[in-house]
Amino acid sequence: MADEVVLLDFWPSMFGMRVRIALAEKGIKYEYKEEDLRNKSPLLLEMSPIHKKIPVFIHNGKPVCESLIIVQYIDDVWKDKCPLLPTDPYQRAHSRFWADFVDKKVYEVSRKVWATNGEEKKAGKKEFIEIFKILEGELGDKPYYGGETFGFVDLSLIPFYSWFYAIETLGEFNLEAECPKIVAWAKRCLQKETVAKTLPDQKKVYEFVGQMRKRFGLE
Amino acid sequence: MAEEVLVFGAWGSPFSRRVEMALKLKGIEYKYIEEDLTNKSPSLLKYNPVHKKIPVLVHNGKPVAESLVILEYIDETWKDHPILPKDPYERANARFWAKFIDEKCLSAIFKACWGACWGEEKEHEKAEIEHEKAVKEVSELLQFLENELKEKRYFGGETVGLLDIAANTIGYWLGVFEEASGVELLTREKFPKLCNWANEFVCVTAIKENLPPRDKLIAYFRNRFGAGNASK
């Protein structure tokens, strides 16, 4: 029986990008549905009744929500191709810990830069750099967080690269100067076709952020 | 080779108790180290330098932090008494609800019992409205869990699973918060299934043996957060 796979998503969402990269890595065909978050579709509200958020992954009519949970589901179901998590339990725990760190810290701290002004923004920028220095420390001299190959943690973090230009410009700093290994790692990830084809253009994201800022009365 | 399993925890924390519950269920021997969270040990800081929090599980010298990550590690390492379902969709479901409990429920419950920021002076009226709002939010969140339980004995089905363990905050600590603050949240008339589940949950041996003493816990929360937000 052919699998029916649908993804409800929003193009600039880093969380949606994670799922798109996972699907591309596994070579899974799916129907992409763009959501207007100011006018959520009945399908989204039905499939994600608790959080009403994207991304939502619908496999043969059954919804899975929360990007990292979706990615693990995809890895569980399509397990014969391109494993995204390591096989060793300790390595898996280590990957889950760092992906959880990205989830808990990176979005919030990014928001503190792009969605604020003045003193708040200054404080946000400082925190952003601190978080990325921690991430840089964890990467060390490895080519990827996953070691020799792109893995779960890489996938959870790389979508934020598409927001770097917006954050650097608004925060008035250069991430390459502050965290050179992070930027080198990101460029390495972008050499992968699955990542390069999934991530939106940084300037396009910057324009989108500008529109959001106007809507929030920040511009 | 002899296995060494250490658990760094705090007696009143539902998060470190989760780890102990899972180990107990699987019959794994471990050494427990009580942390004074006002004076964290060099070992804790060494094993969890990123968050500096409990719980931390140290297995043969290798640390794992974050309670839900630890639970999955325990399940993957010791195969007896599995706590995650085999089916990928059911696994995703269990993970979703565990995350829901951790991210949404606990802070909403705290807000309803003691107000968003303890120690902050609040205008009386504003405090009333926010309290009502917080109670309503908890009610909505508990309803989701009530619906998720359906006719099952446990969230995990016939036996206690990862989600039941993650829901220890609802199954035991919530009752403690209610008594300490005087705010009623998990009522039998609104949430009969959840109440039944909580009663069953605390009777399971591996769980029962890992619950902190109720009176001590109530006294602790009352002392720390005050008399609570109970409406007259």
Side-chain angles (χ1 to χ4, degrees):
Chain A
M1 187 191 82
D3 272 318
E4 191 198 273
V5 180
V6 178
L7 176 65
L8 307 183
D9 201 348
F10 179 53
W11 71 267
S13 162
M14 313 88 163
F15 305 103
M17 286 174 220
R18 290 168 170 175
V19 181
R20 286 177 246 157
I21 295 172
L23 290 166
E25 286 283 305
K26 302 267 186 185
I28 298 164
K29 289 203 170 20
Y30 64 100
E31 187 191 344
Y32 179 91
K33 286 194 163 146
E34 181 75 19
E35 282 284 333
D36 174 1
L37 297 184
R38 285 181 287 170
N39 186 17
K40 293 174 180 177
S41 73
L43 182 63
L44 173 57
L45 300 177
E46 181 198 333
M47 293 284 150
S48 176
I50 318 284
H51 301 299
K52 305 176 176 53
K53 285 182 174 177
I54 54 91
V56 181
F57 184 72
I58 311 172
H59 185 202
N60 295 331
K62 300 204 298 189
V64 185
C65 302
E66 297 295 296
S67 63
L68 293 183
I69 294 176
I70 297 171
V71 170
Q72 287 181 88
Y73 174 78
I74 290 171
D75 207 37
D76 264 350
V77 174
W78 287 273
K79 54 178 178 281
D80 297 326
K81 193 168 177 209
C82 244
L84 299 167
L85 272 153
T87 41
D88 169 68
Y90 188 75
Q91 296 302 327
R92 288 164 75 85
H94 195 80
S95 298
R96 286 185 174 124
F97 174 85
W98 282 102
D100 175 71
F101 177 86
V102 174
D103 251 10
K104 283 192 165 89
K105 303 280 185 187
V106 181
Y107 181 77
E108 271 315 304
V109 88
S110 301
R111 232 193 120 87
K112 284 182 181 174
V113 180
W114 69 257
T116 60
N117 275 330
E119 283 310 306
E120 255 192 287
K121 189 201 281 197
K122 258 175 97 176
K125 163 183 149 186
K126 187 165 173 276
E127 226 189 297
F128 183 92
I129 294 169
E130 276 166 19
I131 296 295
F132 271 88
K133 280 205 179 341
I134 293 173
L135 285 165
E136 196 177 48
E138 170 53 23
L139 180 65
D141 292 315
K142 303 194 297 283
Y144 300 100
Y145 284 93
E148 290 305 308
T149 50
F150 182 88
F152 191 60
V153 182
D154 303 276
L155 181 151
S156 71
L157 184 59
I158 193 61
F160 289 90
Y161 175 81
S162 59
W163 284 63
F164 280 179
Y165 177 76
I167 292 166
E168 286 174 290
T169 308
L170 290 165
E172 292 171 26
F173 69 100
N174 182 314
L175 192 60
E176 190 156 15
E178 302 283 348
C179 303
K181 284 186 178 162
I182 290 284
V183 176
W185 159 82
K187 293 188 171 155
R188 193 174 299 124
C189 290
L190 271 142
Q191 284 171 9
K192 284 173 67 68
E193 204 185 331
T194 53
V195 177
K197 284 203 162 147
T198 297
L199 263 50
D201 176 62
Q202 293 196 331
K203 297 269 165 74
K204 207 175 160 205
V205 172
Y206 178 63
E207 260 173 48
F208 165 75
V209 174
Q211 286 164 17
M212 295 270 276
R213 285 175 58 84
K214 279 202 185 82
R215 277 225 314 273
F216 295 160
L218 293 164
E219 301 272 316
Chain B
M1 186 191 82
E3 269 195 317
E4 190 200 59
V5 181
L6 308 176
V7 175
F8 288 79
W11 69 271
S13 159
F15 306 104
S16 64
R17 292 287 180 166
R18 283 173 181 174
V19 176
E20 294 189 87
M21 287 168 184
L23 291 170
K24 229 359 181 288
L25 266 168
K26 288 179 180 269
I28 308 301
E29 305 241 332
Y30 63 95
K31 181 175 168 206
Y32 176 77
I33 295 130
E34 173 75 14
E35 278 289 325
D36 174 0
L37 298 179
T38 61
N39 185 19
K40 293 173 183 179
S41 73
S43 290
L44 177 63
L45 300 177
K46 174 180 106 184
Y47 286 129
N48 191 0
V50 175
H51 298 302
K52 305 176 175 54
K53 286 181 173 180
I54 55 92
V56 182
L57 176 89
V58 184
H59 184 203
N60 294 334
K62 301 203 295 192
V64 185
E66 293 298 300
S67 64
L68 296 182
V69 175
I70 298 171
L71 290 183
E72 295 228 26
Y73 174 78
I74 288 172
D75 205 39
E76 288 176 5
T77 304
W78 294 285
K79 308 282 192 183
D80 257 355
H81 263 97
I83 54 174
L84 266 165
K86 284 205 168 67
D87 173 67
Y89 191 77
E90 294 306 315
R91 289 155 81 86
N93 200 42
R95 287 175 178 141
F96 174 86
W97 288 106
K99 193 169 185 225
F100 169 82
I101 287 168
D102 273 4
E103 288 186 354
K104 296 265 183 194
C105 294
L106 205 52
S107 51
I109 289 166
F110 247 80
K111 213 164 154 186
C113 290
W114 285 288
C117 307
W118 34 87
E120 230 186 50
E121 289 303 308
K122 276 195 147 114
E123 283 169 39
H124 179 76
E125 263 178 41
K126 220 175 154 200
E128 281 278 321
I129 298 167
E130 282 191 23
H131 170 69
E132 271 179 41
K133 222 173 115 187
V135 171
K136 186 167 176 280
E137 197 194 338
V138 172
S139 196
E140 285 168 5
L141 298 174
L142 291 177
Q143 191 60 53
F144 285 131
L145 290 172
E146 173 89 359
N147 296 345
E148 174 55 24
L149 197 50
K150 300 184 193 75
E151 302 309 318
K152 294 183 295 207
R153 189 175 180 197
Y154 301 108
F155 284 103
E158 280 308 301
T159 52
V160 161
L162 179 136
L163 182 50
D164 298 275
I165 297 172
N168 67 351
T169 45
I170 309 290
Y172 185 71
W173 272 258
L174 176 51
V176 167
F177 298 154
E178 285 175 300
E179 193 163 334
S181 68
V183 178
E184 249 195 307
L185 295 167
L186 183 63
T187 58
R188 179 154 279 283
E189 54 175 342
K190 271 178 127 183
F191 309 108
K193 292 185 184 145
L194 218 43
C195 285
N196 284 340
W197 166 79
N199 289 338
E200 294 258 13
F201 175 72
V202 299
C203 290
V204 175
T205 312
I207 306 297
K208 192 162 68 180
E209 290 178 0
N210 279 302
L211 296 174
R214 205 181 149 87
D215 288 341
K216 194 176 170 195
L217 208 53
I218 291 169
Y220 171 81
F221 281 102
R222 260 205 197 118
N223 279 338
R224 188 142 170 228
F225 300 115
N229 249 1
S231 40
K232 305 113 213 108

